[in-house]
Structure formats: structure tokens, C-alpha cells
Amino acid sequence: MQPSSKSIIGMAKIKLRCWLSALAAVVITTANAQNPLITNQFTADPSARVFGDKVYVYPSHDIRAQPGHGRAGWFVMEDYHVFSSANLTDWTDHGVIVTQNKVPWVKPDSYSMWAPDCIYRNGKYYFYFPTTPKDTTVSKGFTIGVAVSDKPTGPFVPQPLPIKGVRGIDPNVFIDKDGQAYLYWSQQNIYAAKLKDNMLELASEPVTLGELPTQGLKEGPYLFERKGTYYLTYPHVANKTERLEYATSTSPLGPFTVKGVLMDESPTGCWTNHHSILAFKNQWYLFYHHNDLSPAFDKNRSIRLDSLFFEPDGRIRKVVPTLRGVGLTDAKQKIQLDRYSRLSNSGATIAFLDTANKFQGWKTVLASNLAWVQYNGVAFGKQALKTVTLRTMAPAGGTVQLRADGATGPLLAQVTVPKGGQWQEVKAPLSAFKPGIHAVVVASKTDTPVEIDWIRFE
Ligand code: FUB
């Protein structure tokens, strides 16, 4: 039987509705090779995992308090997104996976969806999150719940109740080689317990990991194993703000021996740090956070990523935070020089493009002759590129030179920036092409300021 024109229209409408709802959950790709990793929203407390051939990051999601929504001056967090990347350079936002008012046991509008974790077991992804229960007999403060999915990107279905017997924040789950799973969490101290095979219930009484520092807040535990050593890593306030420390053991439940600091306190006073550590394609990485996009308010944070190395005896080499981050930047993509590797001691500064909308990102300002900025790890490929485009502004006009590999390296291009108070894209021919991977140095040749948003080779 032929469908009637009415039913054809009906089917088309249904298809359109399905298509529109798929579009509503559409992924947003944010190409970004530098720190912070995500620049279109605040992200914090990154729990990163390798699932298949990709890295997935489950951060918490800071937002600004609005009248009647969240407490001004404090953490305001209502949901979680998940981000993925196959190369640690291009990140895809898969959208919201869990939101406070859709979890049956969560106190509505409590805006306390703090640092989560996610782990894979037997075909399911278990997402652990701490927040405030509406039933205060469960906990007067925080407790920890689980949401389960068939895919790392969701949909995650929250369990009807939080995990029994857990009070605290910052869940972290570790599965040992023998298949035993452990839950770690914090509430002043750091606690641990075995998890049942269903990953939803404790299988043992919680123990306090008591060999850690006794003075100063400890939170955000993250446990991993390498070459038979169990590393318990955690933020700790030894002085004024959190730094990342670690202790080791031959067993997931300790006893642990404190080993040292793996990242110092923030030099600019961001009070929290929260991290995770993983190996991906034969390199270890540290995910952590800083308040890059909100320098005046450190409860609006942004996740970062830097490489991590072990000494031959298994100690963790201290990670020095960078803006450049990890990975290579394709010469044909926008190269954000403000996420620099090196900057000249005088004349070069970094500033927000728009102080009223910091999500616009940053610019490099070369204020005087010879001021320079260096950006490492630009992948030029093999095929000769012919031009470079700068998004730039020079109120009095200016000239910059681009060189490969260093301030005295081969000249790639000289670019004259016409006088003007507006951003403009200025294109110049390349005088040389260097195949392969190079640092790019951009240096001013005039005493009048030149501002650069990004550069791109073609
Ligand atoms: O993000 C809220 C809280 O701040 C986390 O749970 C702590 O680890 C700290 O980063």
C-alpha cells in the first residue's frame, strides 16, 4: 500500500524532530593545543581516562552564580560535560552527561556537583560524582553517587541512591590487576574502600589513609599503578594554597610513604588544584587546573595538560606548568602565540582580547623593537607553504619578522602591519619554507606596538 501524502508529511515531521533532537546533543569541537584546554566555558577537576584509542576528560563545570542560582563567591556547579580527544590537541565537547536536578537523590539547585571520576568495567562506564543529598540523614554534607552508561559519552543513568557508607567529596576509582576495584575519596583525610564487582556498593569498611600529612587540607585523591608501585597523588595545603603531592605503596590500601611534591602551589594564588595522571601512547600526562580565564576569581577554573616524567628510580619529576601544553600545532591552523613557549624579558606581554569577555582568549603585545615571542612545536609538514596570515592590530603601524627555530634562525617572513585601530588579517609571502617541526619566533622590528591574536600559514 502506498503511504498517503498526510503520512509522508507525518513521517517527515518525525524525522525532522529526531534530527533536531540529535542536533541539540550535537558535539562542539574546540581545536586547542594549548593551556587551558577548553576556552569556551570553565572546567575544573579533570579526571582523564583512556578508553579505546581516545582520552576522555570528565571535569567539573564551574559557572557564575546568578541571583537565586548558587552562592556568590563560592563554587557553583550544576552539571558535567565530557570531552574527548584522539591526539590531545583537538578536543570535542560531547555536552552535558549528568545534571543536578535529574538525579533523584540530589538536593535540587544545590549547585554542588564537585570533582567526578569515570571508569570502565565489563562493558559499562561508571561515572562517580560528589554532591549534596536532599536526605540529610545520608550525609549533612556531601556524599557520592554513580551514573552508568554503555558509552563513555553517555547517556549516563544515575542510580536512585548514593553509595551507602560514603561521606565526602572527590571520588576516584582504581581497578587493580587482580580485578579488585577501590574507591578513594576525601573529607579532610583521604579514605579508601573496596568496591563490589557491581561498582555500586562498598565491599569493605572505609579506611583512613593515615600516613599522609596531618596538617593542612588534603583532598582530590588520584591513585594509579606503575611498575608494581601504587602512587597516591593528592592536593595538599602545606602552606597557603594547594600543591600536588604524592605517596607510594606496594598495595592500593597502603601503608603509603610520602614522597614529595609533583606540582608546586599556583604562583598566582589559585587556591585549588585537582588532577589526574595517565599514560597515553607511551607518554605520561598530568591533567590539572588553574584559573586562567578568571584571574580575579579562583572558583572559575580551567583545565590544563602537561607532560609528566618519572625518574629512573620511580620518583615523579616535578611538573612545571606551561601555557604551551602538549602536542604539535599544525602550521595551517591558527597558532595562538599567546600560549607561548618563551617570551622576551622586555617589551612582550600577554593580555585578554576583551576583558569583558575573557572566553575570547588572549593576544600577544609586542610593544617595542626586538620584543619577541616563541611558540614551539609547529608542524609544517612536507608540502611547501607559501604565505602567512596574522590577525593583528598596530595603531601606528609596525613590522614583525617571523623566524624558524630561534631569534637568529632562518627568516620565514617579514610582515608590514598597516596603521589602524581595528583587528585586520594581514597576509605576507614566505621567503623560506622549512619542512618538519619547528619553533616559530615572531619579533617586532619597530618601536610602535603590534598586537597579534593568531598567525596561520597557508
Ligand atoms: O571543584 C570543587 C572542589 O574544589 C573539588 O572537589 C576539590 O578537589 C577542589 O578542586
Side-chain angles (χ1 to χ4, degrees), residues 334 353 363-364 388-400 415-428 449-456:
K334 290 175 184 169
L353 283 166
K363 60 187 176 185
T364 307
V388 63
T389 301
L390 282 67
R391 184 169 191 262
T392 181
M393 173 163 55
T399 301
V400 295
V415 185
T416 303
V417 183
K419 188 172 161 176
Q422 299 296 321
W423 288 104
Q424 49 185 323
E425 291 186 16
V426 179
K427 192 182 255 195
V450 177
E451 303 191 353
I452 304 169
D453 182 7
W454 48 258
I455 65 170
R456 185 180 58 213

Side-chain angles (χ1 to χ4, degrees), residues 196-346:
K196 289 188 182 168
D197 283 349
N198 65 12
M199 303 297 278
L200 305 172
E201 294 168 276
L202 297 190
S204 68
E205 281 301 310
V207 292
T208 307
L209 302 180
E211 307 83 22
L212 308 179
T214 50
Q215 299 296 308
L217 180 75
K218 300 177 291 294
E219 55 180 1
Y222 187 86
L223 190 124
F224 67 96
E225 184 266 347
R226 177 182 178 267
K227 296 186 178 175
T229 298
Y230 297 84
Y231 290 79
L232 175 64
T233 61
Y234 51 91
H236 172 222
V237 184
N239 185 22
K240 284 193 175 147
T241 63
E242 290 182 339
R243 65 186 193 186
L244 303 181
E245 299 181 7
Y246 74 107
T248 60
S249 175
T250 52
S251 142
L253 293 180
F256 286 93
T257 306
V258 171
K259 289 289 178 178
V261 177
L262 69 99
M263 179 173 274
D264 284 326
E265 287 183 14
S266 153
T268 54
C270 182
W271 201 93
T272 63
N273 198 352
H274 187 115
H275 68 296
S276 56
I277 291 172
L278 56 72
F280 183 60
K281 297 184 178 167
N282 299 318
Q283 173 63 52
W284 286 87
Y285 293 99
L286 173 73
F287 289 78
Y288 60 103
H289 72 219
H290 190 65
N291 58 333
D292 296 271
L293 290 165
S294 173
F297 180 56
D298 68 355
K299 287 165 189 67
N300 284 169
R301 299 153 297 174
S302 295
I303 61 171
R304 287 173 162 215
L305 171 57
D306 275 302
S307 300
L308 177 140
F309 298 90
F310 291 87
E311 302 294 357
D313 65 1
R315 278 180 300 124
I316 299 176
R317 196 181 298 167
K318 212 184 255 185
V319 180
V320 177
T322 75
L323 293 177
R324 176 62 186 82
V326 306
L328 299 176
T329 302
D330 185 337
K332 297 194 282 300
Q333 284 192 359
K334 290 175 184 169
I335 302 169
Q336 306 288 349
L337 298 174
D338 47 79
R339 306 296 88 194
Y340 61 88
S341 306
R342 297 176 63 207
L343 202 61
S344 61
N345 286 336
S346 65

Side-chain angles (χ1 to χ4, degrees), residues 44-45 60 62 75 77 113-115 130 169-170 219-220 235 242 272-274 289 301:
D45 307 325
S60 34
D62 292 335
F75 300 105
M77 300 149 96
M113 306 295 267
W114 285 18
I169 59 169
D170 295 354
E219 55 180 1
E242 290 182 339
T272 63
N273 198 352
H274 187 115
H289 72 219
R301 299 153 297 174

